């Protein structure tokens, strides 16, 4: 089993044949109690944000966090969830995937 998975730089496990930087999918949870937002990879969170921005062109930071969480199946944002979402967004901005301008988030 260990040969079929690898850990990314954020210590999330991925199938060995999947490049997290190139993968653009998301998995919607049906029960947030069984998969907390802390168990969702920052790459997957960024993918949800990308889906939101592809539909809306731009978004405020707060709306982007809330809508991305909703795509992943989370309707309630605790402070911890908001912190995790913000960290994933900040990493994606740093990587050039998204940009912030005039209070709006856009594709990079």
């Amino acid at each position: 089993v260990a040969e079929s998975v690898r850990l990314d730089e954020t210590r999330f496990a991925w199938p060995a044949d999947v490049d997290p930087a190139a993968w653009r999918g998301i998995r919607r949870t049906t029960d947030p109690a069984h998969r907390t937002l802390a168990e969702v990879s920052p790459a997957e969170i960024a993918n949800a944000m990308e889906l939101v921005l592809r539909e809306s062109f731009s978004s405020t930071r707060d709306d982007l966090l809330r809508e991305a969480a909703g795509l992943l199946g989370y309707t309630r944002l605790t402070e911890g969830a908001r912190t995790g979402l913000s960290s994933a967004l900040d990493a994606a901005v740093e990587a050039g995937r998204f940009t912030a301008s005039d209070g709006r988030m856009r594709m990079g």
Side-chain angles (χ1 to χ4, degrees):
V1 173
E3 292 136 16
S4 64
V5 297
R6 65 185 173 107
L7 297 179
D8 69 9
E9 68 279 354
T10 60
R11 309 286 301 154
F12 280 86
W14 293 86
D17 61 343
V18 172
D19 177 5
W23 184 70
R24 290 295 185 259
I26 65 168
R27 294 177 298 150
R28 182 176 177 84
T29 188
T30 56
D31 184 354
H34 288 113
R35 183 182 184 221
T36 68
L37 198 50
E39 297 171 308
V40 179
S41 159
E44 189 171 353
I45 293 170
N47 291 348
M49 292 175 181
E50 181 176 318
L51 290 172
V52 170
L53 291 175
R54 287 195 183 282
E55 289 293 317
S56 64
F57 179 67
S58 73
S59 177
T60 66
R61 183 180 182 94
D62 283 343
D63 286 347
L64 182 57
L65 298 180
R66 188 175 45 258
E67 290 181 38
L71 283 178
L72 293 166
Y74 303 92
T75 56
R76 189 170 156 261
L77 288 184
T78 63
E79 193 58 39
R82 187 173 293 281
T83 298
L85 289 162
S86 288
S87 293
L89 177 56
D90 292 342
V93 168
E94 187 174 309
R97 196 163 170 188
F98 308 125
T99 61
S101 175
D102 299 324
R104 307 289 294 181
M105 303 303 303
R106 293 179 175 84
M107 295 294 297

